[in-house]
Amino acid sequence: MNSKNLTPKASLKSIASYIPEKILSNKDFEQFIDTSDEWIVRRTGIKERRIAKDDETNSDLGTKAAIKAIQRAHLTPKDIDAIVVATLSPDYFTMPSTACKIAANLGLTNITAFDISAACSGFIYLLEVSKALVESGAKKNVLIVGSEKASSIMDYTDRSICILFGDGAGAGVVSLDTQNPIIDVHTASNGEFGELLMTKRSPKAKLCEPLAMKMKGNEVFKIAVNTLCNDVIELLNKNNIDSNQIDLFIPHQANLRIIKAVQEKLQLSDEKCVITVEKFGNTSAASIPMAMNEAYEEGRLKKGSLILLDAFGGGFTWGSALLQFGGENFTRF
Ligand code: UT7
């Protein structure tokens, strides 16, 4: 694929992440729930995850990633005219949005800012929304942030879920450009499966009762594998791309076995697959931009690289995206 001489398209001009310092390892979990490092690694591929400090909010994490993403796009905060945040663990439920908090932290007090709720598929949804905003001419430079303080909605006595999730944030800037095009994005949902993965609050609960995530993991697992395999193949076919043309596959990092199933379906080598689940666990809407940032910082994003993303999460929501990297703006980060 050649990105030269194209009319300007929505482009991901930068990528950045913020990773909290504190590590919560599988061995740490052995101290307070009935689990083992061996079980967690065998079933999920996760070895450790990061946990934000008590006084560190979701918007703090997102702001740190956002500042870096704006710098790497060679812009300043005042160049940003919309902020969209994907999260399932906002600072506040319903309002104010985490996007408003991040905007204020960046000194932007007269700007379009809103959150989207698409769980672990949040970053794919962000690409679709930001692409539409810039290609319609409504906005010029859209800051997209996937940010999670998943630890704030985790029941650390529920071993079926608490070992899976971690905290972190990733961000990027989407603008019209002839380089780094977001070639295509597909998003979808099926609310009939909502109860398999949700933050449940009993109707009798007091309003201030904390929310905790619940998941029927095994059922989610099977649907996730089938849905993702079909979704990526549909996106590749629609764009007349053979899976052997993919240079880098950057999937949502929920479970190594889910990633491997899609990798095998597409017959991609390990070198073409970005895996961070062992270090960060599932960071939901932040997992793809955090993994993409790793690939960028490790020099794995090369000029002209064709990138495939996929994600599946609560709702159910899912999606996939094709991007091309390595244009002049990107290599200048
Ligand atoms: O990002 C959003 C999308 N999320 C996902 O895609 C996650 C999808 N699901 C999964 O990743 C997997 O289903 C899990 C990792 C959550 C669970 O793995 P599994 O192979 O599906 O295990 P399971 O739920 O079928 O449980 C098997 C056994 C059960 O014991 P019994 O009933 O066979 O005696 C569980 O009680 O493992 C037990 N178990 C645990 N054992 C040790 C469940 N959690 C744990 C644990 N440590 N933490």
Side-chain angles (χ1 to χ4, degrees), residues 35 39 43-44 120 159 217-218 252 254-255 257-258 282 312:
T35 192
W39 189 95
R43 301 285 178 130
T44 71
C120 297
R159 70 174 185 172
N218 200 272
H252 168 50
N255 184 317
R257 292 185 292 144
I258 297 177
N282 182 349
F312 184 91

Side-chain angles (χ1 to χ4, degrees), residues 33-36 39-40 42-44 46 88 119-121 158-165 197 213 215-222 224-225 228 252-258 282-284 312-314 316:
I33 50 169
D34 180 15
T35 192
S36 66
W39 189 95
I40 301 173
R42 183 162 42 82
R43 301 285 178 130
T44 71
I46 301 168
L88 51 68
C120 297
S121 312
D158 181 355
R159 70 174 185 172
S160 71
I161 194 162
C162 69
I163 49 104
L164 299 172
F165 286 84
L197 175 50
M213 277 173 75
M215 174 164 66
K216 295 198 173 125
N218 200 272
E219 289 173 63
V220 176
F221 184 95
K222 287 178 209 150
V225 168
L228 286 171
H252 168 50
Q253 310 280 319
N255 184 317
L256 188 59
R257 292 185 292 144
I258 297 177
N282 182 349
T283 56
S284 193
F312 184 91
F316 287 153

Side-chain angles (χ1 to χ4, degrees), residues 73-85:
H74 303 280
L75 297 171
T76 64
K78 66 176 169 29
D79 298 312
I80 301 297
D81 51 4
I83 300 180
V84 193
V85 173

